[in-house]
Amino acid sequence: MDYRVESDIKEVRLAPRGDLHTGYHASLLEGVWQFSYNMKDAEHVFLHEHAKESPLEVLPLGEFLVFDQDPGLVHSVRLPVLGARSWVADTDDLMIAPLCGRTFINEGVRAAIRNGSDPDFISIVRDRVRLMLSAYGHASCAGILLRGDRASNLHVLDTWLDYLDLRYLFPAVAAKVQYVPPAKPAIDKASLDSKWSLSTPVKVLFCGRDFESKNGHMALRIMRRVREIFGDIEFTYVGRLPSSVAKIEPELVTNIRQFHKLQRSEVLALMEESHLLIHPSKFESIGISLVEAAAAGMAVVTFAGPGMEYSERIFGAQGAFLVPNNQASPDESEDAFEAAVIGAMTERAVMESMGRWNHERSRSGPFSISERNRIISTVYLEALSHDGIGLSLDQLELHRELVATRFTAEALSELETRFMKKAGVGSSRFVI
């Protein structure tokens, strides 16, 4: 199938390289386009009140990408772009860059934002949000490509702007938001038919890089009990396990396939041969693993509700067993999830119907590559139509004198590695 969209675009700069999502952006780079993606990194610019303040230790009032020469059309991951005549930004969360950006790895900053009791700090947050959203509102920005759920993201944006007394910024920013469904090419029909026609044991898969946020412990407990009922299940767990699990609860990892880390191609190969994905994640901003499972013709058991709004958008009622997530009672949520998995095991025909429905929706529906490419290409073309000047710091409304500090991508990555090591941070998935 030809997924190309005809356009006058020749090249798109995609930056920063270190922030690319292993699933979402990999799918962009693997795609068939009429143009090429240029991965040359930009520099990062941070605005502080004082010189030599660390952008990881002290919340900057502004955060941008900048190229030394006119870069042409830029596709930025989250950040506004200085000096580019045409640019778009993508994100899975409309508030992560305006609120704290790269400083999200600092627990002290996240706690101060959640607490909201320090008026001086909240004043800094207000100035940062105002400045960052004003940058997105510049004419050189053609759009904000939102990978996450549109309705919930706009609600959070509206709530924050109301709290910070900045609601006047909402219309201009909301008008720039363009929902872009994540997508993955559907497996070929022969592979789909082969998987569901063979009378092999049901192959169940769990994928979760972060043990805590993906509810890895719950997945292991549920599958141990389910395997006691259906002895011929083949269960594969992809993700690093805390050493304490095997020591304290060895029964959870007995007679299962477990991989600490796999390349994306290896995970996709597992999905192609597996029947059911169990995904008891606490929250999802993109849901890329759900999209990849659908493209592989899998049935899915996953939570739905607050933090998991994406599940219903991707699957509706036809592609997954959606389990209401009772956040007030984790035990009830686990029991309900287990019941859904058992229900799936007893209804293989229903599982197959779900897998085939997901496959067709990925092949030609709203979560297809062709639909994603159409939306992105339309925004790119709109970006190229801008014939004015690029964004510059002196165009932004600064309420105080600020110092700009530039970092190369390499220098910022080294700084981040040192900071996380010193702080004992082992994960980059956080909830603000």
Side-chain angles (χ1 to χ4, degrees):
M1 183 176 294
D2 191 345
Y3 301 112
R4 292 176 294 181
V5 176
E6 295 292 337
S7 74
D8 296 327
I9 304 167
K10 302 301 180 186
E11 181 180 270
V12 178
R13 295 283 188 98
L14 182 60
R17 189 193 306 259
D19 290 346
L20 300 184
H21 188 276
T22 55
Y24 183 85
H25 292 109
S27 179
L28 284 186
L29 295 171
E30 293 164 359
V32 179
W33 304 91
Q34 294 293 91
F35 56 84
S36 61
Y37 278 108
N38 183 324
M39 302 288 288
K40 184 177 181 181
D41 258 323
E43 288 193 320
H44 294 252
V45 176
F46 297 92
L47 300 180
H48 281 106
E49 290 187 285
H50 308 290
K52 297 183 180 180
E53 287 186 321
S54 166
L56 304 180
E57 296 181 7
V58 179
L59 180 66
L61 279 87
E63 187 173 347
F64 308 88
L65 295 180
V66 64
F67 295 85
D68 287 330
Q69 297 179 336
D70 182 10
L73 176 57
V74 177
H75 180 145
S76 164
V77 182
R78 290 192 289 269
L79 299 175
V81 182
L82 299 174
R85 182 171 59 87
S86 307
W87 58 280
V88 301
D90 77 33
T91 186
D92 53 6
D93 185 329
L94 286 178
M95 286 308 298
I96 187 67
L99 276 175
C100 57
R102 192 147 236 93
T103 322
F104 77 98
I105 65 174
N106 186 321
E107 165 56 25
V109 169
R110 298 199 310 277
I113 291 174
R114 287 194 301 267
N115 184 274
S117 61
D118 183 344
D120 292 334
F121 181 78
I122 294 303
S123 177
I124 292 174
V125 171
R126 180 181 295 110
D127 281 354
R128 177 187 169 99
V129 170
R130 177 182 50 76
L131 187 144
M132 294 289 286
L133 293 185
S134 297
Y136 292 121
H138 190 265
S140 59
C141 175
I144 302 171
L145 306 176
L146 179 64
R147 310 189 296 268
D149 182 74
R150 178 183 172 86
S152 59
N153 267 271
L154 288 178
H155 174 71
V156 170
L157 172 66
D158 186 61
T159 302
W160 269 105
L161 294 185
D162 185 57
Y163 170 67
L164 297 172
D165 196 25
L166 296 172
R167 289 206 75 252
Y168 70 93
L169 292 170
F170 182 84
V173 176
K176 297 265 180 125
V177 176
Q178 173 66 63
Y179 172 65
V180 182
K184 164 73 176 61
I187 64 174
D188 63 83
K189 185 70 161 45
S191 297
L192 179 73
D193 290 341
S194 174
K195 170 164 61 181
W196 287 108
S197 64
L198 298 176
S199 58
T200 57
V202 173
K203 295 183 178 181
V204 181
L205 179 65
F206 169 89
C207 298
R209 287 186 298 167
D210 187 274
F211 185 75
E212 182 63 28
S213 68
K214 297 297 184 182
N215 255 335
H217 207 172
M218 179 187 292
L220 289 169
R221 291 194 300 267
I222 288 173
M223 288 310 301
R224 179 182 64 82
R225 295 190 293 265
V226 170
R227 286 185 295 122
E228 289 179 351
I229 302 173
F230 305 92
D232 61 346
I233 294 175
E234 293 183 10
F235 178 50
T236 302
Y237 184 106
V238 179
R240 188 168 295 279
L241 295 174
S243 58
S244 58
V245 172
K247 291 180 180 178
I248 299 174
E249 301 171 282
E251 69 278 5
L252 296 184
V253 295
T254 301
N255 296 326
I256 70 171
R257 281 201 303 176
Q258 195 262 324
F259 301 96
H260 290 299
K261 185 177 181 180
L262 293 176
Q263 297 296 318
R264 179 168 176 265
S265 60
E266 295 173 308
V267 174
L268 295 179
L270 280 175
M271 287 183 170
E272 186 168 334
E273 68 180 34
S274 299
H275 302 94
L276 179 69
L277 178 78
I278 61 168
H279 194 75
S281 181
K282 296 178 180 178
F283 61 90
E284 280 294 342
S285 54
I286 308 177
I288 192 67
S289 60
L290 299 177
V291 171
E292 290 170 341
M298 297 181 69
V300 176
V301 178
T302 185
F303 281 127
M308 290 297 293
E309 295 87 353
Y310 230 89
S311 300
E312 205 160 353
R313 175 184 288 272
I314 295 173
F315 300 109
Q318 294 96 328
F321 298 88
L322 299 177
V323 181
N325 189 2
N326 186 348
Q327 297 178 334
S329 177
D331 289 342
E332 286 186 12
S333 289
E334 182 167 334
D335 289 344
F337 200 97
E338 180 178 335
V341 175
I342 292 173
M345 292 297 104
T346 58
E347 296 285 351
R348 179 157 177 159
V350 175
M351 271 201 297
E352 179 177 351
S353 175
M354 287 182 166
R356 290 184 179 278
W357 190 86
N358 289 334
H359 179 266
E360 179 58 28
R361 191 166 160 90
S362 301
R363 192 185 68 81
S364 60
F367 286 87
S368 64
I369 290 289
S370 56
E371 177 64 6
R372 182 204 65 181
N373 288 6
R374 182 192 66 78
I375 296 172
I376 291 178
S377 295
T378 299
V379 178
Y380 283 173
L381 287 171
E382 183 177 341
L384 286 180
S385 69
H386 179 244
D387 58 2
I389 61 174
L391 174 67
S392 61
L393 293 179
D394 58 14
Q395 294 172 325
L396 297 172
E397 186 182 345
L398 305 179
H399 285 184
R400 61 186 86 186
E401 189 172 331
L402 301 176
V403 178
T405 306
R406 290 175 67 148
F407 288 84
T408 65
E410 293 76 15
L412 186 60
S413 177
E414 291 174 4
L415 182 68
E416 187 174 281
T417 299
R418 292 197 301 271
F419 179 87
M420 294 178 71
K421 183 177 181 180
K422 180 179 178 181
V425 177
S427 171
S428 58
R429 285 182 64 87
F430 307 103
V431 177
I432 295 176

